[in-house]
Amino acid sequence: MNIVSLIQHEDHLEWRQMLKCVWALSIPAILAHVTYIIMEYIDAAMVGSLGAAASASIGLVAPLLWFAYGICSAMVQGFSVQVAQFIGAKKILNSRDTFRQGLIFVMALALLFSGLGIYISPELPGFLGATPEIYQGSYEYFLVFMIGIPVIMLRILATSMLQCSGSMKSVSFFNSIMCVLDILFNFMFIFPSRYISVAGVAFWVPGLGYGVMGAAIGSVAAEGVTAAILSYLAFMRSNYLRQKAGMAWHITKSCIVDAFKISTPIAMEQTILSGSHVAMMLLVAPLGTVAIAANSFAITAESLCYMPGMGISIAAVTLVGQSIGAKKTDFARGFAKFSVVVGMVTMGTLGAIMYLVAPWVFAFLTPVAEVQTLGTEVLRIALYAEPLFAVSIVGAGALRGARDTFYPSLINLASVWGLRMTLAFILVQSYGLHGIWLAMCIELYARGLLFLLRIYKQKWNNRGSME
């Protein structure tokens, strides 16, 4: 099924056709995200085998890494939404030109973040409240990822551009390959050379024994290989993005202004969300190493429930953006609503399953009994909110496709900082880590309802300009 052609040439789509389009784009994206989460599970288990301190050292700096990725990814959205709408409007030269400008701008931003991250890395663990046992691991893990941000952002840019052009299957496949590479590299970099036994037969496995730092090196190496492959597909193979000799490498005011109009509110949104994670970590850190590790593992475990929502959100950006580019408001509205419903059903189902299997998940992630028990308890609190969490994730994607990025940012600001942080500060005093996750659950309910209201009132027309 050629979805781009369907949107451009059909005057009416039945609800079954819309649902089929949503699933057709969502399933590859979901599989890619789920595979990525499986990689995180295996990473967490590998590091978790080194002890609670190793897990806590990663958990401490993870919110700052999410913040850096979020800001750079927001700029990617500023260009990829334009590409989706140009493709829908059959302006292929414009989509190719926007891709080139996006590459220049995003790479410059990534280099800036990389330099800043390297500069602050020695002092960062102390600022976040690291204890001596986790200080060095936190510093090394953060430093390696900051060095690797340019290749990571190249992979994100190529991924987003290919997805907005409808190339979901190839993106899904190679992101899955990245997960396999990550596992192989981690085995090499985390653990020392050793013998392992398989079916009673001993095999010698080479390794460098870098511990926590090795986990970061392995992940960045896998990102680099995948970035090279996906960049080749985007630059040389994609019908909508392919570059040819003689095309001008330049920056135009209209493209950059448009990108800022789309991405600045998204960057604000990422700052709001990531900033709240950092603030949450400041509340968690005084609770001790077990609480830090349990919190980190609970976030990893929950991601298996909400990452499929991220995949559906990508489909929503593509379908809504291309529909608006083709000037088909009814298509955009229908795709947005069906995407949200699919997200709610998917994440709600996964949340229910995770609630049942949580003890076994934590047993896989860490051998420390105290971390297993605490992580299971706090995770189950948040799982009640998964369906409405889906509304905020998928709804935000649909609204981005319509260039409505300002109001979602306001919703996140009011909900996360006005409600979640206030409740967390109050509840942590009496209930510890349980209180922080209860505050999160309540906030996710409120945010989901606000996004439902915004989606219902949205006019689903192009809120920005497209030269």
Side-chain angles (χ1 to χ4, degrees), residues 399-414:
L399 293 169
R400 285 172 192 160
R403 301 192 179 204
D404 183 1
T405 56
F406 179 70
Y407 283 98
S409 299
L410 289 182
I411 291 173
N412 281 300
L413 175 62

Side-chain angles (χ1 to χ4, degrees), residues 286-365:
L287 301 177
T289 299
V290 170
I292 295 173
N295 184 72
S296 177
F297 283 128
I299 292 171
T300 299
E302 189 199 8
S303 63
L304 187 60
C305 302
Y306 68 72
M307 277 300 177
M310 299 291 190
I312 299 168
S313 176
I314 292 169
V317 172
T318 302
L319 291 168
V320 171
Q322 291 183 3
S323 296
I324 289 174
K327 302 187 184 301
K328 296 184 177 179
T329 302
D330 290 342
F331 285 16
R333 181 183 296 108
F335 284 135
K337 291 181 178 179
F338 277 115
S339 297
V340 168
V341 171
V342 169
M344 292 180 72
V345 172
T346 302
M347 285 179 56
T349 302
L350 289 174
I353 294 172
M354 180 60 72
Y355 191 95
L356 297 174
V357 304
W360 292 277
V361 170
F362 279 91
F364 171 77
L365 292 174

Side-chain angles (χ1 to χ4, degrees), residues 99-109 157 249-251:
F99 177 32
R100 290 194 302 278
Q101 295 190 57
L103 177 65
I104 297 170
F105 197 89
V106 170
M107 286 298 98
L109 186 65
L157 176 69
W249 286 80
H250 62 274
I251 295 289

Side-chain angles (χ1 to χ4, degrees), residues 23 63 73 81 83 120 199 215 224 249 276 284 317 330 340 383 392 396 405 418 428 462:
W23 272 118
S73 297
V81 168
V83 167
I120 68 171
W249 286 80
S276 72
V284 172
V317 172
D330 290 342
V340 168
L383 292 176
S392 64
T405 56
V428 72
N462 193 352

Side-chain angles (χ1 to χ4, degrees), residues 15 30 38 40 117 122 136 159 166 169 206 217 258 268 288 306 309 354 451 455:
W15 70 268
I30 289 173
I38 292 172
E40 286 197 358
Q136 186 66 22
T159 294
K169 292 182 180 179
I217 295 173
D258 228 10
M268 290 173 54
Y306 68 72
M354 180 60 72
F451 267 96
I455 290 167

Side-chain angles (χ1 to χ4, degrees), residues 233-244:
L233 292 178
F235 270 90
M236 306 300 294
R237 307 289 294 180
S238 171
N239 291 331
Y240 304 104
L241 305 169
R242 184 172 61 242
Q243 304 298 305
K244 297 182 179 180

